Structure formats: structure tokens, C-alpha cells
Amino acid sequence: VTLTGTGGSGKTRLALRAAEGLLEPFGDGVFLVDLASLGAPEHVVSAVATVLGVPATSGRSLVDSLVTHLAGKELLLVLDNFEHVVAAAPEIAAVVAAAPKVRMLATSRVPLRIRGEHELHVRPLPLPPADAPTEALLRSPAVQLFGERAREIRAEFALDPETGPLAAEICRRLDGLPLAIELAAARTRLLSLATLLERLENRLGLLTDGAADAPSRQRTLRATIAWSHDLLAEREQTLFRRLAVFQGGCSLAAAESVCGGDVLSALTLLVEQNLVVTRWSELGEPRFELLETIAEFARERLAESGEADELARRHASYFAGHAEAVEPSLYSDQRGPWLRRLEADRDNIRAALRWSLDRDEAAVGLRILAALWLWWWTSFVEGWAWAERLLALPSAAEPSSARAGALFTAEICSAGAGDLPAIRRYTEAAIEAARSVADDRRHALAQALGAGALAGLTPNGEFVDRERADGLIHLHALSEEAVDLGRRTGDPWVSAWTTMISGLVALLAGEPDRARAWAAEARPEFERLGDSWSRASASMTLGFALIQLGELEDAETALEGSVAALLEVGDLKMANGCLLGHGLIARFGGRTEDAERRYREALNLCVRSGDPANAPVCLEGLAAAVTAREPEQAATLLGAARALYDAGHIPNVPGFEPLYEGTAAGVADTLGDEAAARLRARGATLARTLPLAEVADAAAT
């Protein structure tokens, strides 16, 4: 059996503990052979013979003497630290194979690759999630180890609700590596946990001064990692340091493109050496990553090599090209898997955008923003922030399709945030930029989106150009012009998408028949294209149109499956809208309990997404659902809903005002105007002073 694992993962300790438990089964004994100090593989047989007390005999090889000595014996050989003399493994294996009752337990940072070997990978200690309850944090093996070692340094140290979360975060930052945790705990002699956590930015410089009786390679974290690094051939050392350019790991394709050379062979050896960790995604695809403690060492080597700037450039260029290659898949049923892949690379994408910003080379960042606008929509606050910073660069002023696309990304992200002035500004800029480079596709998308967003957020339908604005009639014209533009591109997805947005404009204009027609035209086209996300979006428009027409059964059919499809791709904002549609259907159909459940689910999505725009609708819907049994609670919820609405949380689904007035009138009839007003004032205070997640429950007390 070979225990393999990263340096400092506790292989030796585990082997010794196992050996202690095997003293009785092995009647002839358990023998420990420490190989760490050996200078060459040819010394291994001699070291084993010395421990077993087998002398060298003239005219006979030491291997033969060992075989004779072990014949018929029942014993266990524990060979510790085999990695640097692994070439001797076949010779030792032959000795053991000749003695049927002899077993071998080895520790090594690499497998021995001998017949009959059973490899057991010793992983770092499991880490509790960041949001785990305090009790779970304190029970974590990593935190327990930290506490034990800290108490050896300071007898008064205790893990409690105050120190436990800090200790857990320290262990997370150290990847759960036992050696690193022990070295960190030793620093509690002089540092508080909060200070220790701050100083872990420089792990390798901080985690020194291990136990004096420990091997020299284990007295500092840097020495432990260097021991493994120095065993690598030049090819593997080169790949090891180059992998430090990635943030949060990478795919094989990314490593091959950015790092160059024979990546697959070298990567295989780095994985075997436990310097690189392989993590399998839910899609069954491998990602390769350096534990952060090891990545810090690799970054030092990369900085010393003089390759860092060129690697960073190649990294940024790769992710720009990767984004453009991914974009077509985001308009299909492959969107879900690709969104998950992009999420795994979020830190890499951020690094590429930072590189673009720091060097004023906007083209790379603009390409990423332009290609991934559908991904940024699911995290619109971050997407908008990147777009604003990159578009402000001097190098971003040059007209290009990438610039037009980045402006469109800023437009859709500001629409997600409900920022009316920004939507106007970016809509105008995106249209103008697309026109300047004759990019009809982006022109159509920007114009359609602007019309839809402005229809939802401005009561009078005002557009960018005030002199041309003529209320919602003008927005109708803009959206339908975008449909014509979309059709002229010859791109069926753009055509269907602009058609869907025309339906949304009609819906927000209070023209449900027209909205139904546009949405019903777009929906089957998305289905034909295999785009479940856009089909769900069109279904939401169709569903709300049918609700306004009083066709509740057809509306429920239209919305069926849409929430699940939107959650699958992480679009919490649109899923929230569909849930509100289901709430309205249940409400108008007299299914009060179902309506309450749907509105609560929608409110939960507002909290999860950090997007409170639809919170007033959720709270009003809850008020309507509980009015009959809890009118006081309903009045409080209405006050909270109105306060959020007045604070600028403008819903992106229609109907708030008339529904609110109807529910408020019903509550006032039950409680009286004075009591209802007093409770609404209480609800407004709750909305202004409590997190959104707590408002509904507080209104019930």
C-alpha cells in the first residue's frame, strides 16, 4: 500500500498510526525505514537491511540476503518518504514478493508504479463551508487540529463561537493541509487569530519555525513544497510555475494553449506528484488546480523566471478567444453546461479583465464583455462594473464590434439594475457604436433591449431623444424597427429575440393582444433553435399577456416549466418574474395557499440574487394572500412594499400599482383607515431597517 498526497498532508503520521495498530497481526514485527536522508536510490536496499539487522555477506548480494532473511517471516515494512528514491521501488518490490507473508506500507508524494501496488491518496483535511453553523465549524477535523496545536502553545486557548469561525477561515486559507495548520497554530504564541488571518496573504513567509525535531523539509511550508518541486525535471518545473498564471484552476485545453510544450505528459506527472489537484466537474470534465498554498510558491517561481508578463498576456488572449468561441453555444440548449463552465473560470476571466485594465489594452476586455453578455446578465452588477471601467480606457475609444458589444453588455446589465439614466446613456451609445461599424446584429439587439427596458421603467415611455419621444408609441416603433433589423441580419436567433422584446414592450404598454401575438411568434422559433432560456423568457411575456386577458388556464400552460429552465441557467431575475406570474394565476383563481407559496418563493429569489426590484410585487402578493386570515399582517406587508417601491425598487413585471391599490382598499375596509395606515407605517419602517430576507417574517409578528 502506498500513501500518496501533497507535502504536509499527514502521510507519515497516518502510516505510523496504522503501523501501531498492526503490531499484533504481524508476529515478526513492524519496521520503520526512513528514506528521507538517502542521497540516491541505490542506498535504499542497504537502509532496509540496516533496519532489519541483515549484514552484508561476501560473495552474496544484499538483495539475496534480504530474501533469505525474510523467507517465512510475517512482518510489515514501513518505508517513509519514498518519492526521491522511487527508482529503487522495483528492487524492494522484488524482495517483498519473494516473502509471501511480508507486506509493505510506503509513503510517497508519487505512486511507486510497481505491480500489486494499492495507492491510497491522503487528501487535506475536510473543510467546513463558510456558512456552516458554529457547531459544525468546531467539529471540523481541520479546526480541531488547529485547536489542539494552539493549546499546546497557549494552554488557555479555546475554540468557541468567537474563535471558531476565525480558525475555520484560517484552515480554509491553508487548504486544510495539516502541516500548514500546525505551523499556523504555532504563530498563536504571538498573534491573535484575526492578525494571523490578515498575515496569511504571505503564507510562505509566515509559516516557518516548525518543531525542532521535525525533518528540515517540514519546518517551513516553503521547504515542504520546495522538496517536491526540486524532485521535478525541468519540463515539469516549467509547467508547474506557468500554471500559476491561472486563477481557480483550468481545463486541459487552457493549460495547453497558455503554457505550451508537452502539457499532457508533464501535467500527468504533476498530478502524480500531488502538486496539482484534479477536480471533476458535475459535467464529468477534469479541471487542474494548484492548492493556494502551493500556488503561492509557484507564483514566486514564475516571477523569478521572467516569464510572468508574457504568460499573463497569453492567458488574457486565450480567455478572450475562449469567450468568443463559447458565445454561439449560449444561444442554444448548451447554455446551461457552458454557463457552469464559465462560472468555474470566473476568476480566470476576472484576471484577464484586470490585465486589460492595468495595461490599457481594452481590446481583450471588450471582446470578453461583448461575447459573454448573456452570462453577465446573470451577474449584472459585476458585468456593469467591468464594462464601465473598461469603456473608460483611452484604448477603448477606437470604433469596433467589440466596443459596440461591450456597450450592449453595459446596457443589459444596467437594465438588470434598473438604472434608468444609465440605460438611456448606454442604449444610445450602443446603437451609435454598432452603426459606426455596420454591425446590424448588435444594433438590433441594443435597440430592442433599450425599448423593452425603457418601457418597463418609464411611465411615459420616454426614450433617449426627448424631442423624438412620443410615449409608448415611439417605443413600439423602435422595437418593431429592431425586429426588421434582426430579420435583415439573417440570424434566426436575433430575429426571434427582437420579436420577443416587441412582445414585452406591448405587454408593458397594456396591449396584451399585441403582446400575445409577438410572444407566440417568438416562442416556437426558440424551441426550434433549442434555446430553452429564451423560450422561457418568451413564455413569461406570453403568460402575463394571457393573465391580463383573463385566460388563466392557458397562462399556466404557457408558463409551465419556465421557472425550472431559468433556474437551470442561473437566471434568477427572470425565474422570479415567472414565479410572480404563477402567483397571479393562483391568486386570481382563488388558490390562496398556492399564491402565498409562489410569492414567498419569488421573494426568496430576490434575496438570493441580491436584486430587490420585484420585492414590492412579492410583498404585495403576500399581503393579498393573507388578507382574509391576517389583515394586520397584510397591512404591514403593504407598507413595506410601498416603501421599497418609493425607494426606487421598480418592478420589471407589470401591474404593481392597480394590484396594490386593490389590496390596500380591501385591508382598509377590514381594519379601518386609521389602523391600516398605522400598520403600513410600521411595515415601511421594517423595510427601511431590516434586510429584505427578514421583512416578511417580521411583518407577521
Side-chain angles (χ1 to χ4, degrees), residues 78-225:
V78 180
L79 303 177
D80 193 27
N81 301 297
F82 217 134
E83 58 272 353
H84 66 301
V85 288
V86 73
E91 197 170 27
I92 294 297
V95 171
V96 173
K101 294 184 178 181
V102 172
R103 296 288 182 268
M104 184 172 80
L105 174 62
T107 72
S108 176
R109 301 188 189 186
V110 296
L112 306 186
R113 292 191 170 188
I114 53 179
R115 283 188 296 176
E117 178 183 28
H118 296 270
E119 182 184 356
L120 176 63
H121 187 64
V122 181
R123 301 186 181 280
L125 295 173
L127 297 167
D131 58 353
T134 301
E135 299 77 19
L137 293 178
L138 298 180
R139 289 195 303 270
S140 158
V143 175
Q144 287 285 311
L145 175 63
F146 182 91
E148 290 171 10
R149 295 298 176 265
R151 279 191 294 276
E152 292 173 3
I153 302 297
R154 290 169 47 206
E156 72 276 12
F157 181 86
L159 289 171
D160 54 36
E162 181 179 350
T163 60
L166 288 170
E169 184 57 29
I170 288 169
C171 293
R172 273 192 291 272
R173 297 277 290 278
L174 298 174
D175 303 307
L177 285 172
L179 176 62
I181 291 171
E182 292 185 343
L183 292 171
R187 288 299 187 187
T188 60
R189 189 187 306 275
L190 298 175
L191 302 177
S192 69
L193 295 195
T195 304
L196 177 58
L197 187 58
E198 287 177 13
R199 290 179 175 241
L200 281 180
E201 290 300 321
N202 176 21
R203 297 166 182 77
L204 301 184
L206 178 68
L207 303 184
T208 59
D209 302 330
D213 59 347
S216 60
R217 69 184 185 285
Q218 292 184 358
R219 291 179 195 162
T220 74
L221 189 58
R222 179 181 278 107
T224 297
I225 301 169

Side-chain angles (χ1 to χ4, degrees), residues 486-510:
R487 288 172 177 166
R488 289 204 298 271
T489 65
D491 185 327
W493 190 89
V494 173
S495 177
W497 199 78
T498 53
T499 299
M500 176 183 70
I501 298 296
S502 275
L504 177 63
V505 172
L507 177 70
L508 296 168

